[in-house]
Amino acid sequence: MITETALLEKLPRGLFIGGEWVDGSAGTFAVHDPATGDVLVEIADASPEDGIRALDAAVAAQDAWAATAPRTRSDILRRAFDLLTERADEFALLMTLEMGKPLAEARGEVTYGGEFLRWFSEEAVRIAGRYGSNPEGTGRMVISQRPVGPCFFITPWNFPLAMATRKIAPALAAGCTVVVKPPELTPLTTLAFVQLLVEAGLPAGVVNVVTTTTSSAVSGPIIADPRLRKLSFTGSTPVGKKLIAQAAEGVLRVSMELGGNAPFVVFDDADLDKAVDGAMAAKFRNIGQACTAANRFIVHEAVAGEFADRVSERVRAMKIGRGTEEGVQIGPLIDQKAVDGTAALVKDAVDRGAVVRAGGSAIEGPGTFFEPTVITEVAAGSDILREEIFGPVLAIATFASEDEAVRLANDTEYGLVSYVFTEDLQRGLRMIDRLETGMMGLNIGVVSNAAAPFGGVKQSGVGREGGLEGIHEYLSTKYTLIPAS
């Protein structure tokens, strides 16, 4: 396996504009290892002018890329998938270094992120329309699909590879060019991935990358530019709302994957082995730093005690450390702000009467670590039941009836994903209809899949990524009428 030093030395550190690696007009900035606080590398810092130059390149490449044969676009994506698979260990290590997740989880993200390349390489050649007579018999209708046009992507720090491939792959498959602004905290994986796309044969200007410490200053002019036709963002709901408002000025197509507050409902007839395994996956994957992470554990009062005992035992046994260390299950949180926010949510719950069953505290020393935590007897109104935790804290409240469980689960402005554990099939089917979320896991703690539409309802966003639906976010429908002869 490549060493950390060798991996970082081969990494591109500039902006990628028009097929060239260039310096940033605003200088450079440091990217840190959250497990140690050490600087990994310094990379280019873009100015607003750099952002517009990137959009210029995407606009210049749009017509040629849209006219490129679907099979050619497909082949490039498939070559990118093959290259990523060959270099899985390198990409996993890079994500662990800049984000902190355990290496085993990072390898899982490489697999997941790669599947978007493979899936949309297959969808690129299946873009279709329809042809037929109108009902009056006076003409023939041709319904065709066209690429939306230049896109701007703002990606999050928690899944540095998968969130890039989930947006870039369908855009390229549809014939759209792209400007990507990766997160300041974890930009390195995107730089490595774009370098891989170039090796796969991607033409100059089709994908452009601007890394920056001044996100809103760089993003604002791009979004306001009338040549842009699509905006996609993954991140918090407050930021998403501001971006939607900016996009409204240009009537841009938007895809927004925003915050979550996922309920994890355990009924009294649940298989507790499945429920505990599901809880560990749904809560502690990615150190709890996922919009799909289970946020509110709503457990039937008849099994709440045993469920709490079993998850607490599992949590107390988890190994904490730098993600590169053997057997580590819990790495660092992304920064000190994340640690402080998690600690504040736990304190508020405890102040309202909750009981700490495992963990509960930040860890002293280098890096930004927080103990994996279980708290029970969480009172209604606690902040931890209303806000997205984004940390390794499993908070348990109880319910007595199915109607109460549904009420508690739906008592949030968010609606991304829910998890339900029951052995009653009819109850499970009722939950599909009654829970107000865009996705649901029934007796399983992880739902994401490249072949499935990912997205939420209410204030968890608009649009879908992945699945058959994913490519249509980057296509516009055109109707043509031909008079009957």
Side-chain angles (χ1 to χ4, degrees), residues 338-351 370 383:
V339 173
D340 294 342
T342 302
L345 290 175
V346 172
K347 182 180 184 302
D348 173 78
V350 171
D351 288 347
F370 196 94
D383 291 345

Side-chain angles (χ1 to χ4, degrees), residues 31-37 95-101 156-160 183-187 286-287 289 331-339 342 367-370 390-392:
V31 180
H32 295 85
D33 179 347
T36 64
M95 280 190 284
T96 294
L97 293 178
E98 67 172 340
M99 187 267 160
K101 68 182 70 186
W157 53 262
N158 55 341
F159 290 95
E184 178 184 350
L185 293 170
T186 61
N286 217 50
I287 324 163
Q289 298 174 120
L333 296 185
I334 190 62
D335 58 15
Q336 189 58 46
K337 180 181 178 182
V339 173
T342 302
T368 46
F369 290 87
F370 196 94
F390 244 63

Side-chain angles (χ1 to χ4, degrees), residues 66-89:
T68 299
R71 176 58 68 194
T72 300
R73 301 198 299 260
S74 172
D75 288 345
I76 290 171
L77 289 169
R78 179 63 198 217
R79 283 196 294 271
F81 167 78
D82 291 337
L83 288 170
L84 182 63
T85 301
E86 291 172 11
R87 300 174 193 174
D89 287 344

